[in-house]
Amino acid sequence: METEEEQRVVPFQLQFDKPVASKIKIAEWNPEKDLLAMVTEDSKIFLHRFNWQRLWTISPGKCITSLCWRPDGKVIAVGLEDGSVSLHDVENGKLLKSLRSHSVAVVCLNWEEDGQLNRDDSCNISIYEDRTVRFFPPAPKPPRMPGVVSGDAGFMDDNEDSYQELSNSSYQRFNMLCSADKDGSICFSIFGIFPIGKTNIHNFSISIPLVDIQYPYQLRNASIYKVALSKDLCRLNVMCSGQLSQNMFQSRESHLTGNMHGLHGLVLDTSIFLKRKNELHQLAQQASNVEELTEVIRVSLSVMSKQWSDAMRTFHEKFGSLSTLIIDNALDSSPQEEFLSLLGGARTSPAVHQFLVSTLGEAGVKRVSKVVCGAGKELQQIVLEHMQPAAEIIAFRMGELRGLSRWRARYQGVGLDEMLINNATEKSGMLLVQIERFMRVLTSVEQQFSNFFSWLLKCIKLLMQEPSDQLPPYNSELVIIFLKFLYDQDPVRQLLEQSETIEVDLETMQRVKELVQFGGFSDTEYLKRTLAKEFQQMESSFKEAFQMPFTTISRKLLCEDLLPLFPIPSSPASLSMTIPMSISYYEEVSQSVSSDQTCHGLVDYICFQVPKESSSEISNCIGILRGFMHDLSNLKTGHTSLEAVLLSIPAGYDCVDLSLYKDTQIVLLLNGTATSSESPGDACMMVLQASDLPFVSISRSTSLDLWGLHQLKDASLQLQLENEKVRCIPHSTLAPLAVSASRGVACVFAARKRALVYILDEDEDDVEDTE
């Protein structure tokens, strides 16, 4: 018989009771470290250690709608209301990359890596070898706009150094970031940086097997609650609500009776990620680096264009007053003619004398010379340190992709089109030619400007009868060429603009055509294009080439199965309701589960609350399903592997949130019904062992007007607070419930703006504080 002291022992150790600044709406533990990320109602992200030390706080400036960690815990993905997904470094919160795959709010995220092999078997993993390190220095970063320092709201943010950690996927296990928006679109990104597929649950024509016939159905007005990729990446579980309607174009006979608006489970076939993971790994590594280097060239062009434009504005502002002086002195000439006359030794006109001695002066010439020649040297530096290295690495990577595209047996299946890759490779080579051409023009122009300013300084010294022996010499022929072509023309600006067309003589074009065609290329008009136009064409060819894998993979993402779970009234209030749910995959050890139910030793568990509004017969219950992911293959053989159990919540309590965590355990957070508005209420946290629950097989061969969970209403298990593993909490609680799947730690948020951290595992006295 238990003593009174033993009865008072609580199952979970309370580690911390800390205040929070405002209400928390999202909370997720890091999968590898004792770090908790929390999102407040005002869309700020806080990162805390287990000992509640705050590491950093960031505010994206937009409403945060979802959050998840990369499997290695080094990067956190943040879904935003505008449809973008931003990736942040765990060390400092810096923005690493932002993807805009959606047009509306991203409601849920899931980041999963290939879990078929243990980490000790890494020698058997196909690792992509990045060969650029053999032939090139480290990839260049985008140039910074002059005058903009770190932290300014200027042209570039100070996050470019952090991208290396994100893009260095050569030695990462193959992983996939899955995001879903409120309109039913689901997007997939390899390593979180390379979009590889997109689908929409509204577009599926779903065939549900009833008896021996399959009837096509569609989901309308669907809202996605949660998505979860299996650890082998070959299935995606989707929990969504919506109206299930029969596709009358494909079936003349209706088999729907009653309300079919409710919560449904979907299984999507994503086995292409498993079957082609090596090919997709190489494609993602090459293409994502090409896109990042393309951004380097784009930023380089923008910075160069602005710098040269500012320099030319300074030049024309200073030298524009000479035209006014010529008119005021009633001279019938131009500034170029006046300068040529001065160069030829003729008598200096009053306008030129006044301009050189009084208006411009020695200090003015030196100032303009410093601005223009300095801009020329900065442009050369940007080309040599940023643009040209980026273009060379792009050309090398496109050459490798071109070789892969010719291996049709392996890479045609993932959409690597040989013709499109050939075109993109050619455009990358043409850009290198244009960069070389630009450097020749820029070097010549900078040299002629410098020579012109040296001559003007000599002239000013002579006009002021001062010694000019210390000044650098000048070339008279170059001054003539400058005055004839460059004084009022700007070939550098012309090459940096997209709208300009370069004029090339017919003889040169004919020779270029012969050379290009002899080399096997199709583009013979590249000499007529500017550097900016060449870059635009290259970027367009890349977009077209990389869109093909995206489209190819998207077509292979199909819905395999649908299971109606419980009805939900289609009222505006019910459409916006939050349903606590959790999806996870575990290695099944129970002997009661058929081997047909598992795939590589994994079985899927889905846990959710049945709302009171759904049905009075099974209201205020917790539903748990297992084996849904592989049930369709068993149905085809006349069997079912789908099992479920209903847990009835004790009277006087409501489920606030729930979570599945290690060893198929389920954590429930229950709130007691407050007796008065002034009462603080009470709550409890309960842990159940899912493998010990009395699961019952669910028959799928029934008419669709009967919901699957109704079969279990007479066999629901009544939860007993006295008999279960329960910890009482003397305050009402709020969602979310954050449970660490690897550390056995739970964080509960009380209504009084407190965070309560519990250690769930009795054999752990403390949790390691990971640096």
Side-chain angles (χ1 to χ4, degrees), residues 599-766:
C599 177
H600 302 293
L602 299 175
V603 61
D604 56 301
Y605 279 76
I606 302 173
C607 187
F608 52 87
Q609 180 198 8
V610 182
K612 294 180 180 180
E613 297 82 359
S614 64
S615 172
S616 59
E617 299 176 344
I618 58 172
S619 63
N620 207 26
C621 287
I622 301 295
I624 305 172
L625 293 175
R626 69 180 180 187
F628 176 43
M629 185 174 65
H630 304 288
D631 190 50
L632 182 63
S633 59
N634 292 316
L635 280 175
K636 295 176 181 178
T637 62
H639 303 86
T640 180
S641 60
L642 181 62
E643 295 181 320
V645 64
L646 273 180
L647 307 178
S648 182
I649 300 174
Y653 284 89
D654 295 316
C655 181
V656 177
D657 205 353
L658 51 85
S659 178
L660 286 158
Y661 94 114
K662 61 180 181 179
D663 299 327
T664 64
Q665 291 179 316
I666 301 166
V667 183
L668 302 178
L669 186 60
L670 307 179
N671 257 1
T673 305
T675 56
S676 65
S677 59
E678 298 179 357
S679 173
D682 63 343
C684 66
M685 186 167 57
M686 180 184 299
V687 175
L688 305 173
Q689 187 71 30
S691 57
D692 296 337
L693 297 175
F695 282 93
V696 177
S697 295
I698 294 184
S699 173
R700 303 286 300 279
S701 300
T702 59
S703 110
L704 271 179
D705 60 342
L706 295 178
W707 298 85
L709 293 183
H710 282 77
Q711 304 173 42
L712 307 174
K713 62 182 181 180
D714 297 329
S716 61
L717 176 65
Q718 183 71 36
L719 295 177
Q720 302 291 336
L721 297 181
E722 298 81 10
N723 301 332
E724 308 294 347
K725 195 175 180 181
V726 177
R727 172 70 188 250
C728 293
I729 301 172
H731 298 279
S732 60
T733 56
L734 303 168
L737 166 68
V739 178
S740 172
S742 60
R743 298 288 184 172
V745 178
C747 184
V748 178
F749 295 96
R752 57 191 180 97
K753 290 188 178 180
R754 306 289 294 183
L756 313 175
V757 180
Y758 293 92
I759 296 178
L760 301 180
D761 295 339
E762 295 178 310
D763 57 344
E764 294 186 17
D765 296 331
D766 200 357

Side-chain angles (χ1 to χ4, degrees), residues 29 123 130 136 166 239 316 319 332 398 455 535 566 665:
W29 286 98
C123 57
D130 186 0
F136 302 97
L166 184 66
M239 300 296 287
H316 290 297
F319 282 80
D332 187 16
M398 291 309 301
W455 170 68
F535 169 74
F566 55 80
Q665 291 179 316

Side-chain angles (χ1 to χ4, degrees), residues 406-421:
R406 294 184 175 183
W407 194 352
R408 298 184 185 91
R410 287 191 60 180
Y411 288 91
Q412 197 170 33
V414 296
L416 205 59
D417 185 88
E418 183 180 355
M419 184 179 69
L420 294 177
I421 294 295

Side-chain angles (χ1 to χ4, degrees), residues 317-322 325 350-365 367 460:
E317 284 175 354
K318 292 295 184 181
F319 282 80
S321 58
L322 178 57
L325 289 174
V352 173
H353 188 279
Q354 181 182 351
F355 174 75
L356 293 178
V357 175
S358 304
T359 306
L360 187 62
E362 181 181 354
V365 172
R367 191 178 302 113
I460 292 173

Side-chain angles (χ1 to χ4, degrees), residues 8 114 142 160 202 224 347 432 461 511 672 713:
R8 289 198 299 267
D114 175 29
E160 58 267 18
H202 297 112
I224 297 178
R347 185 176 178 181
L432 280 171
K461 290 288 188 179
R511 291 180 179 177
K713 62 182 181 180

Side-chain angles (χ1 to χ4, degrees), residues 27-38 47-49 55-56 67-76 88-91 738-745 770-771:
E28 294 286 346
W29 286 98
N30 187 299
E32 294 292 331
K33 302 178 181 180
D34 294 316
L35 302 173
L36 178 65
M38 297 175 289
L47 188 71
H48 282 264
R49 293 186 187 274
L55 296 182
W56 47 258
L67 192 78
C68 81
W69 289 94
R70 196 168 76 178
D72 63 2
K74 296 181 179 180
V75 177
I76 189 167
H88 296 264
D89 190 348
V90 66
E91 297 295 334
V739 178
S740 172
S742 60
R743 298 288 184 172
V745 178
T770 306
E771 291 296 331

